[in-house]
Amino acid sequence: MIQKSMSKLEQEVMAIIWNCKSCSVRDVMAQLTNSKLAYTTVATILLRLYKKGFVTRKGQGVSFVYLPKVTKETYVKKMAQIFVKNLYSAFSDTAIVSFVESIETLPKEKKSYFLKLLQDKNDNK
């Protein structure tokens, strides 16, 4: 299971891979918002993502094509679980109270949807 997080640049590169489904270093470079990055920098980021287990790669000629190994949904869910666990560990009930109070700031539809999710989770226990 995912235990590692991604840097901001790794997240940006991973978003491109999730969107494209299969990308070379040049494909990623063409879509990056920071167009000043060197080819070798982007290749290094992709290698890091590969070593962390977020992508897989296939040789294509003299280069690699990178494919997502982890879905965006799986990554976000795991990171949210880790965040909530760490927040609760550090701040106990204060964190939960703040979280509940922040629900009031959501748009009405989102608030209703979120509360329904919580109710459904509670009903399934």
Side-chain angles (χ1 to χ4, degrees):
M1 196 64 177
I2 303 165
Q3 293 298 325
K4 297 180 177 147
S5 61
M6 292 183 239
S7 70
K8 187 170 178 139
L9 185 54
E10 288 171 337
Q11 288 176 28
E12 187 176 353
V13 169
M14 197 65 209
I16 293 167
I17 295 170
W18 280 320
N19 191 40
C20 292
K21 311 279 190 272
S22 174
C23 301
S24 67
V25 175
R26 293 209 187 281
D27 294 333
V28 172
M29 287 184 69
Q31 294 187 46
L32 278 171
T33 56
N34 184 352
S35 59
K36 295 178 183 177
L37 292 175
Y39 179 95
T40 53
T41 302
V42 176
T44 299
I45 295 298
L46 287 163
L47 180 61
R48 284 185 193 155
L49 290 170
Y50 174 74
K51 287 181 176 180
K52 288 181 176 182
F54 291 115
V55 297
T56 185
R57 64 185 186 184
K58 290 194 267 184
Q60 189 173 50
V62 294
S63 63
F64 290 106
V65 172
Y66 294 86
L67 303 100
K69 189 173 179 181
V70 174
T71 66
K72 182 178 183 177
E73 292 75 18
T74 300
Y75 175 73
V76 170
K77 185 176 182 178
K78 185 63 179 176
M79 290 299 104
Q81 289 170 345
I82 291 169
F83 174 76
V84 170
K85 183 179 176 183
N86 290 341
L87 188 67
Y88 183 75
S89 293
F91 301 104
S92 188
D93 289 346
T94 304
I96 301 301
V97 170
S98 278
F99 184 70
V100 170
E101 288 173 350
S102 70
I103 292 172
E104 291 301 318
T105 64
L106 295 173
K108 186 177 180 179
E109 320 76 57
K110 291 289 182 186
K111 178 181 171 183
S112 296
Y113 173 71
F114 185 69
L115 291 172
K116 183 178 179 340
L117 284 174
L118 287 172
Q119 185 61 48
D120 290 348
K121 283 286 185 188
N122 191 41
D123 290 345
N124 288 331
K125 284 189 171 188

